[in-house]
Amino acid sequence: MTSLREQIFEQYKRWSPRSAALIAEAREVFPGGDTRMSAHFAPYPLFIERAAGCRQFDADGHEILDFMNNFTSLIHGHANPATVAAVREQIAIGSAYAAPTRSQIALARLIRDRVPGVEQLRFTSSGTEATLMAIRCARASTGRQKIMKMEGGYHGSFELAEVSLVPRPNEAGSLEAPRAVPIDASIPDSVLGDTVVCPYNQPALASALIDHHAKTLAAVIVEPMLGSLGMIPATRDFLLALREATQRHGIVLIFDEVITLRLHMGGAQAHFGITPDLTAMGKIIGGGLPIGAIGGRTDLMRRFHPDEAQPVMHASTFSGNPLSMAAGYAAMTQLDASGIERLNGLGDRLRAGFNTAFARNGIRGQATGLGSLVNLHLTDAPLHDARDVLAGLTRSRHLNQLVHLGMLQRGVASAGRLMYCTSTPMGDTEVDTAIDALDDTLRELRPGIGRELPGLLAG
Ligand SMILES: Cc1ncc(COP(=O)(O)O)c(C=O)c1O
């Protein structure tokens, strides 16, 4: 008998023959046929030809509701008319000048006026560059080397940012003192040695770890919600413990709000009422174009002042480029508190509907997240940290993959890791379509789950 995985893969290939043909071409020029790990999934991703609002169209002509929104960055969906007009106007008069522009000041003011922890800022070309520069700023300011990051925390594509992103149980060590686990064979020992790993959502353990390493710690970097690892919100107590312990020792607290800025006009820091020293931003502030920003207290941001005796070197060819500024400004000025509230409400509706779909089909699962950010997990065990999430993934084996492919074939796109987010062109109808798609997918998968993964059936 063919396995459930083989059955769903075959079905997907029959459904998307043009993408199947294109992946064969792509494999000639890209290792594995893809130029971006995060957007890749097995057996192959769909090739997208165009998109508008919350809908995208693939090479086989399927219309697909986009709950992925380029990993949460497209808060207004695709080809938002005002953003398109702003970019069109700007590109006609030049795409980048290697000179300051008024548009940089306008977007910077808008962000500063909204985000409590931002007194001054610098634009970067990506979220990766924002977290990296925040870390360098913290090191230069404190004269210390080590950085504390959370187990399961993701901060972009550089070595330290991915340490212990996936803490494999046989390597992760104890919860009280997690080991720094490399994501792959490219991570130097020196980086592992400079990284202190902290368990997520454990206020007392975090305080103790910070006290223990205080003399060598330049910064603590944390996502207010574990994003890549399944949208696990921080508790306020945990963030408060980090705030108090870092303040006690003059350590720089960095909130990585690259994803969570969309939760509130002032980001997750405003939602939780806890202000970090530095904030890394990205995604929505670029209106769909590449961007990042690091913002924070003036005395720390002064490290980037060109007249400083030894400024932190921050160059970057496309930082503050006028196209990203124009798109970002157009997108951000369309976003107000009531719009964010509506988006978060749609996220709540999606979570509730997904949870009902699991219950109705008798399959152990849950939707986590906060506001407009949602993640599915094929486990009903409580999820507080990276270890909980990985244990759930191990138990459900390839089922995430199959749910993802099932949803795609029903016209609903998410990240391969089953991350969903809402966008302003969506309403209840689109959210309910996604809920129905999960219901239908689970109904189809149930007999196979019963055969291959009976532990995932409830009751
Ligand atoms: C929390 C967080 N920080 C940083 C980054 C890196 O941003 P970018 O992909 O723009 O470099 C990401 C990307 O997904 C992220 O989720």
Side-chain angles (χ1 to χ4, degrees):
M1 186 188 266
T2 52
S3 70
L4 185 58
R5 188 165 185 268
E6 284 162 346
Q7 178 196 322
I8 301 294
F9 272 33
E10 277 317 308
Q11 211 169 287
Y12 178 77
K13 288 178 194 167
R14 281 197 302 278
W15 177 78
S16 56
R18 292 209 178 88
S19 284
L22 285 165
I23 196 73
E25 287 185 42
R27 284 183 179 134
E28 289 170 22
V29 285
F30 302 122
D34 216 310
T35 183
R36 183 180 172 198
M37 189 78 136
S38 53
H40 187 78
F41 55 84
Y44 52 80
L46 296 178
F47 282 70
I48 301 299
E49 311 242 289
R50 67 193 166 86
C54 56
R55 292 177 164 75
Q56 53 186 17
F57 299 85
D58 75 355
D60 287 280
H62 300 120
E63 180 180 318
I64 297 171
L65 272 176
D66 189 6
F67 278 86
M68 149 94 97
N69 291 301
N70 195 19
F71 283 90
T72 77
S73 54
L74 296 162
I75 201 152
H76 300 303
H78 299 272
N80 168 255
T83 308
V84 171
V87 171
R88 194 171 272 148
E89 193 179 319
Q90 179 60 51
I91 202 163
I93 54 172
S95 59
Y97 311 124
T101 60
R102 288 172 207 241
S103 59
Q104 294 171 343
I105 303 173
L107 184 58
R109 277 194 176 136
L110 183 149
I111 295 169
R112 181 206 56 190
D113 291 348
R114 291 184 184 184
V115 184
V118 175
E119 292 172 3
Q120 286 200 312
L121 62 147
R122 276 239 165 174
F123 287 113
T124 62
S125 302
S126 65
T128 293
E129 197 186 320
T131 59
L132 177 61
M133 294 316 300
I135 284 171
R136 287 181 57 190
C137 176
R139 283 188 170 136
S141 301
T142 58
R144 304 173 191 156
Q145 296 263 316
K146 289 194 179 175
I147 306 295
M148 172 180 280
K149 79 173 290 285
M150 304 304 135
E151 208 170 41
Y154 177 69
H155 305 291
S157 298
F158 62 102
E159 292 98 336
L160 189 149
E162 290 172 303
V163 169
S164 292
L165 173 59
V166 183
R168 293 172 286 273
N170 55 336
E171 298 169 352
S174 69
L175 192 65
E176 291 71 25
R179 292 185 54 217
V181 178
I183 187 77
D184 57 38
S186 75
I187 312 292
D189 291 345
S190 57
V191 171
L192 298 176
D194 276 339
T195 311
V196 176
V197 178
C198 178
Y200 203 69
N201 272 339
Q202 297 281 350
L205 294 183
S207 289
L209 269 174
I210 293 172
D211 288 344
H212 182 72
H213 291 278
K215 287 202 170 62
T216 53
L217 271 184
V220 171
I221 184 166
V222 62
E223 294 168 271
M225 172 152 63
L226 275 185
S228 294
L229 219 74
M231 296 300 167
I232 307 298
T235 62
R236 186 163 191 281
D237 282 354
F238 175 59
L239 295 177
L240 208 53
L242 297 180
R243 180 64 287 181
E244 284 169 4
T246 48
Q247 233 147 21
R248 202 159 50 237
H249 299 292
I251 297 163
V252 178
L253 180 62
I254 306 169
F255 273 11
D256 180 347
E257 294 239 37
V258 169
I259 286 188
T260 53
L261 202 70
R262 62 161 35 234
L263 293 175
H264 189 286
M265 285 291 272
Q269 56 195 266
H271 168 80
F272 285 108
I274 296 172
T275 306
D277 302 308
L278 292 175
T279 303
M281 293 160 281
K283 304 218 195 252
I284 65 164
I285 63 166
L289 267 64
I291 202 163
I294 150 178
R297 279 179 11 215
T298 308
D299 62 309
L300 293 171
M301 293 302 292
R302 212 192 65 217
R303 294 285 156 187
F304 294 110
H305 195 312
D307 295 342
E308 277 277 291
Q310 254 197 320
V312 172
M313 179 61 187
H314 173 231
S316 189
T317 305
F318 292 103
S319 279
N321 77 80
L323 286 182
S324 296
M325 297 298 107
Y329 191 77
M332 293 298 279
T333 47
Q334 289 176 71
L335 200 60
D336 59 14
S338 66
I340 291 184
E341 203 177 310
R342 195 180 75 81
L343 274 183
N344 288 339
L346 289 175
D348 291 340
R349 184 182 180 99
L350 190 61
R351 255 185 308 279
F354 280 164
N355 282 329
T356 304
F358 280 118
R360 192 181 300 133
N361 286 283
I363 292 173
R364 295 185 197 279
Q366 63 186 296
T368 59
L370 203 60
S372 62
L373 296 162
V374 181
N375 214 110
L376 292 184
H377 299 264
L378 275 305
T379 172
D380 56 5
L383 300 172
H384 302 296
D385 63 18
R387 295 180 186 212
D388 294 340
V389 171
L390 289 176
L393 281 172
T394 307
R395 278 196 299 273
S396 59
R397 294 188 3 230
H398 48 259
L399 196 57
N400 266 32
Q401 242 183 348
L402 307 188
V403 171
H404 178 234
L405 297 180
M407 294 290 277
L408 275 178
Q409 290 175 75
R410 288 163 178 83
V412 177
S414 69
R417 60 175 189 259
L418 301 181
M419 184 270 294
Y420 297 74
C421 69
T422 53
S423 64
T424 57
M426 291 179 177
D428 289 354
T429 310
E430 285 77 16
V431 167
D432 291 348
T433 301
I435 295 166
D436 290 345
L438 181 65
D439 199 41
D440 203 40
T441 301
L442 295 177
R443 193 172 313 122
E444 183 194 17
L445 293 175
R446 197 177 194 283
I449 294 174
R451 270 196 317 275
E452 299 180 11
L453 295 161
L456 294 188
L457 296 187

